[in-house]
Amino acid sequence: AGDAGGEGSEDDEVVLMIKELLDTRVRPAVQDDGGDIEFVSFDEETGVVTLKLQGACSGCPSSSVTLKSGIENMLMHYIPEVKEVIEAEDGESELEGLRAFEEFEQSMKKQ
């Protein structure tokens, strides 16, 4: 197993627990909705878990609610070291969203 944060075995243990919960509890539900979830990082000092939502969940309005209310609550319940769950900034999907918005704006101007 690789060294997750270089902070020692406790950090690795927390990361393993986070990944285990994501794999067993979160991923199946997210995949049912046509998406997927990927563990990005855990910051031991701040207690922040960063996750990346993919597929149908990426950019879905309810995905941030799912992330906050569902995943964050569950991880905080099982793993006291977790203080917050955030979504990784995905520059690519943000650019796609901006492009789609610009195209929408252009089509509105034509009417």
Side-chain angles (χ1 to χ4, degrees), residues 19-100:
K19 287 180 175 179
E20 175 73 16
L21 281 169
L22 290 175
D23 287 345
T24 58
R25 304 274 179 117
V26 180
R27 182 165 284 124
V30 172
Q31 286 176 338
D32 281 349
D33 289 337
D36 202 359
I37 190 157
E38 181 186 326
F39 173 83
V40 177
S41 66
F42 172 66
D43 187 324
E44 195 181 352
E45 287 177 25
T46 60
V48 174
V49 176
T50 305
L51 302 174
K52 186 173 185 180
L53 293 165
Q54 299 167 321
C57 295
S58 172
C60 166
S62 63
S63 67
S64 57
V65 175
T66 301
L67 197 70
K68 281 292 181 192
S69 63
I71 302 170
E72 183 178 82
N73 287 344
M74 185 196 64
L75 288 178
M76 286 167 61
H77 174 78
Y78 288 105
I79 308 168
E81 291 88 347
V82 174
K83 305 294 180 224
E84 186 183 8
V85 174
I86 60 171
E87 186 174 357
E89 291 297 318
D90 187 6
E92 236 173 81
S93 69
E94 205 170 290
L95 281 174
E96 285 172 26
L98 282 172
R99 241 179 260 124

